[in-house]
Amino acid sequence: MLEREELKLYNRQIILPELGLAGQEKLKVARVLMIGAGGLGCPVLQYLVAAGVGHVGIVDADVIDISNLHRQILYSIADVGKPKAETAKQKLEWLNPFVELTAYEERLNTENAARLINLYDLIIDGSDNFTTRYLVNDTCVALNKPLVFGSIFKFEGQVSVFNYQDGPNYRDVFPEPPPENEVPNCDETGVIGVLPGIIGTYMANEAIKIICDIGETLSGKLFSMNALDNSMNVYKITKQRQAISAPVAANLAASPDREISMETLSNWLGETPDEICIIDVRETYEFDDYNIGGLNIPLYELQESVDIIPVDKKLVFICQTGQRSKIALQWTESHLKNEKYSLKNGIKHNL
């Protein structure tokens, strides 16, 4: 139920017939998690809080640097050196006292991703690195959470909606991250200050449409724009993979005793090789490029391939970095009774 002051505050969007009072009430009960309170996170947070999203979580472990200020306009020169998540929370509370805000001064990782994401209805990814993007996507797929995605590079930006109403996910567009030595960043390449504002407001708009169930979202589409020449394109995305059902437990992270080192795996293979089944959940081309043997069942094909996994062997899931193998381990908890493990840090760190 909206308070009298809220009706005044949101009047200009409530009178929109497409949104109306019903839409505003949906916003009030919505729970949105913003990954990153930087260039993209700032405009997304400002507009969603101003729009009346009832509960907003902010995940960011960084502190404000003076080089951030030309594009992260939620902050000021007086905020340099302060933590982004808590500072954003304080400023947004001044913007709208009717919104509940929670700051998480921690970096999203495999240990906390599912715990945090499971608390919210809609996830928005404004992160600036591929490790976090793939972690957010894979966790949203496993927990069946819609994801609004945005990215920026120099003068170019992209926006899409993933894992929404059985639509495509991030890996359907970008199956795997590029090699680390090919990954650009703002520190090296730069970014025009207004670009995060343009892309961030697009992301906030997609979030509002999803929450209020209005309009047409960018699910199944990738919006791309160039602020230097004003070119805009919308590319169609085809769903390639079958989504993995949400795990029974809320946390995807394997407990310490379920993660094993390469040394332990090597010892097992040396002592009782017939009792071990390695399941490599990377994509086929990754497996072909380098592998240590075993079955190759890509993560997103695991659900339909349970029947080919031996039921009388100890299972060890492996991948490139240990991220996908943890998801595979958690998902198979309710499908396979075998003793199961995940290779810690993946084979990337064991080459």
Side-chain angles (χ1 to χ4, degrees):
M1 189 72 177
L2 295 168
E3 296 184 21
R4 184 183 183 89
E5 288 301 306
E6 289 180 280
L7 293 173
K8 295 179 182 178
L9 180 59
Y10 311 129
N11 173 262
R12 295 301 187 272
Q13 63 188 28
I14 290 176
I15 62 176
L16 291 169
E18 294 84 355
L19 194 143
L21 185 59
Q24 192 63 55
E25 290 175 341
K26 288 179 181 178
L27 288 170
K28 185 175 176 65
V29 298
R31 298 176 60 85
V32 174
L33 182 66
M34 182 71 228
I35 310 296
L40 292 172
C42 284
V44 171
L45 288 167
Q46 286 170 285
Y47 275 101
L48 291 186
V49 169
V53 172
H55 189 162
V56 177
I58 309 165
V59 180
D60 202 308
D62 290 339
V63 298
I64 300 161
D65 186 84
I66 194 169
S67 65
N68 301 149
L69 300 182
H70 86 292
R71 65 192 183 281
Q72 300 177 22
I73 59 173
L74 181 59
Y75 312 120
S76 69
I77 195 76
D79 298 318
V80 171
K82 296 179 181 178
K84 287 185 179 179
E86 184 59 36
T87 304
K89 176 179 179 290
Q90 293 174 1
K91 290 178 179 289
L92 293 167
E93 286 173 339
W94 299 335
L95 174 62
N96 190 344
F98 298 104
V99 173
E100 181 179 354
L101 293 143
T102 304
Y104 302 96
E105 292 182 27
E106 50 190 300
R107 191 171 302 280
L108 200 77
N109 55 43
T110 55
E111 306 302 320
N112 63 14
R115 170 176 58 83
L116 295 177
I117 287 174
N118 206 41
L119 296 173
Y120 292 85
D121 308 316
L122 174 65
I123 313 304
I124 304 179
D125 183 10
S127 62
D128 60 359
N129 66 87
F130 285 101
T131 299
T132 303
R133 289 175 188 171
Y134 282 92
L135 174 60
V136 172
N137 175 79
D138 293 348
T139 307
C140 285
V141 170
L143 296 176
N144 196 27
K145 302 285 185 176
L147 170 64
V148 175
F149 162 80
S151 69
I152 53 174
F153 174 68
K154 296 173 73 172
F155 291 92
E156 300 177 17
Q158 297 177 335
V159 183
S160 190
V161 172
F162 295 124
N163 201 47
Y164 178 58
Q165 296 182 341
D166 200 35
N169 71 75
Y170 184 71
R171 287 187 184 271
D172 289 318
V173 190
F174 309 104
E176 295 297 327
E180 290 186 5
N181 61 352
E182 296 180 10
V183 177
N185 59 62
C186 290
D187 293 340
E188 298 173 351
T189 62
V191 61
I192 191 70
V194 298
L195 182 63
I198 298 169
I199 298 301
T201 51
Y202 261 94
M203 294 166 69
N205 189 53
E206 291 302 299
I208 290 171
K209 289 190 292 183
I210 291 170
I211 294 168
C212 297
D213 193 22
I214 60 174
E216 182 178 328
T217 72
L218 285 170
S219 178
K221 303 171 187 175
L222 179 68
F223 169 78
S224 176
M225 66 88 63
N226 186 312
L228 194 59
D229 62 15
N230 287 317
S231 61
M232 296 186 186
N233 295 285
V234 178
Y235 303 97
K236 184 177 180 181
I237 303 171
T238 302
K239 185 175 181 180
Q240 304 291 334
R241 312 155 190 271
Q242 180 177 352
I244 293 178
S245 302
V248 174
N251 199 331
L252 295 177
S255 59
D257 60 344
R258 302 290 295 283
E259 289 186 286
I260 62 169
S261 65
M262 179 60 82
E263 181 181 4
T264 298
L265 177 58
S266 298
N267 290 338
W268 287 356
L269 291 173
E271 297 168 359
T272 57
D274 294 337
E275 297 179 10
I276 308 297
C277 177
I278 293 174
I279 301 178
D280 191 322
V281 296
R282 296 177 301 158
E283 297 299 310
T284 302
Y285 72 88
E286 293 177 281
F287 183 84
D288 291 342
D289 184 56
Y290 171 80
N291 68 80
I292 59 173
L295 296 175
N296 176 215
I297 307 176
L299 178 64
Y300 288 90
E301 298 175 15
L302 191 59
Q303 185 169 353
E304 59 195 45
S305 305
V306 170
D307 292 344
I308 69 174
I309 298 175
V311 297
D312 58 347
K313 294 189 177 185
K314 185 185 300 182
L315 305 180
V316 179
F317 294 100
I318 68 172
C319 66
Q320 195 76 355
T321 64
Q323 175 181 313
R324 281 171 282 175
S325 61
K326 286 183 179 183
I327 295 175
L329 175 63
Q330 186 65 45
W331 179 78
T332 55
E333 284 293 272
S334 60
H335 295 77
L336 297 170
K337 303 303 180 184
N338 310 55
E339 187 177 339
K340 297 177 287 293
Y341 299 89
S342 170
L343 179 64
K344 188 174 183 179
N345 296 324
I347 61 174
K348 173 182 177 182
H349 296 277
N350 295 287
L351 298 179

